[in-house]
Amino acid sequence: EAKVVLVEFFDPACETCREFYPHVKDIVRESRGKVRLIMRYAAFHQGSDEAVKILEATRKQGLYWPSLEAALKEQPVWASHSQPRPQLIWELLFGSGLNMAQAKQDAASPEIAKLLAQDMADVQALNVRKTPSFFVNGKPLKNFGLDELKTLVADEIKVQYGS
């Protein structure tokens, strides 16, 4: 129901995305319900498409956010750019309550492949060239940086809420 929508195009294997994630979470939390975060994928790195499929499979079981956080925490282990091993994400999820057999089936589903294809089509349409890339109520973050993102969000909160 938030009037400010923060869309982040990210790549689960992107180090900058990993570094920005806690800050983006803080922006949303500190907005007290005025900002809604939508995570979209820009699977630019080798193996990222597989990581996306795994993450989306966890969403179907209500475990997306803890799975994303586990994948980002262990990103240096599985996301080596010279030899990515996104299948290691499955190992990170043992003990999370995830039904592994169902998740693996879901990860291979046409539904999740379609979602990734749509995000990548939107990446092209919006001319997203790097991750993370941000849009606030459709306005792109033109100059990349945390302070710039905070300013763009704060400005849009003022426009939408008058405070």
Side-chain angles (χ1 to χ4, degrees):
E1 296 179 25
K3 294 180 183 179
V4 178
V5 179
L6 171 58
V7 176
E8 177 181 356
F9 281 91
F10 84 109
D11 183 324
C14 166
E15 293 93 346
T16 305
C17 294
R18 178 180 185 233
E19 293 298 319
F20 254 73
Y21 177 76
H23 301 294
V24 171
K25 220 170 119 175
D26 287 345
I27 290 170
V28 173
R29 184 179 40 78
E30 291 167 3
S31 79
R32 294 181 175 83
K34 295 178 182 174
V35 176
R36 178 170 48 115
L37 175 64
I38 297 176
M39 304 291 279
R40 301 283 307 273
Y41 300 107
F44 293 147
H45 292 25
Q46 184 181 355
S48 291
D49 55 341
E50 188 65 28
V52 166
K53 290 174 184 178
I54 294 167
L55 291 171
E56 282 303 309
T58 69
R59 183 187 305 275
K60 293 176 86 55
Q61 295 184 39
L63 294 169
Y64 178 80
W65 294 108
S67 298
L68 174 63
E69 290 182 7
L72 291 175
K73 180 180 177 189
E74 298 299 326
Q75 185 191 73
V77 173
W78 66 265
S80 164
H81 296 306
S82 62
Q83 193 174 28
R85 298 178 296 159
Q87 68 279 5
L88 292 179
I89 295 172
W90 292 117
E91 294 175 20
L92 302 174
L93 301 176
F94 281 117
S96 68
L98 186 69
N99 177 329
M100 288 291 183
Q102 183 63 52
K104 288 182 179 186
Q105 183 178 343
D106 290 339
S109 74
E111 175 188 354
I112 288 179
K114 184 178 177 182
L115 180 141
L116 178 57
Q118 181 61 59
D119 279 2
M120 293 307 291
D122 290 346
V123 160
Q124 287 188 324
L126 294 168
N127 200 32
V128 171
R129 297 280 181 240
K130 62 183 177 9
T131 55
S133 286
F134 298 96
F135 294 82
V136 179
N137 283 0
K139 299 173 189 168
L141 179 66
K142 293 180 181 176
N143 297 310
F144 183 78
L146 181 56
D147 289 339
E148 292 80 358
L149 178 60
K150 287 179 178 180
T151 298
L152 182 59
V153 170
D155 289 349
E156 196 60 26
I157 288 172
K158 286 177 190 170
V159 167
Q160 297 298 321
Y161 291 95
S163 58

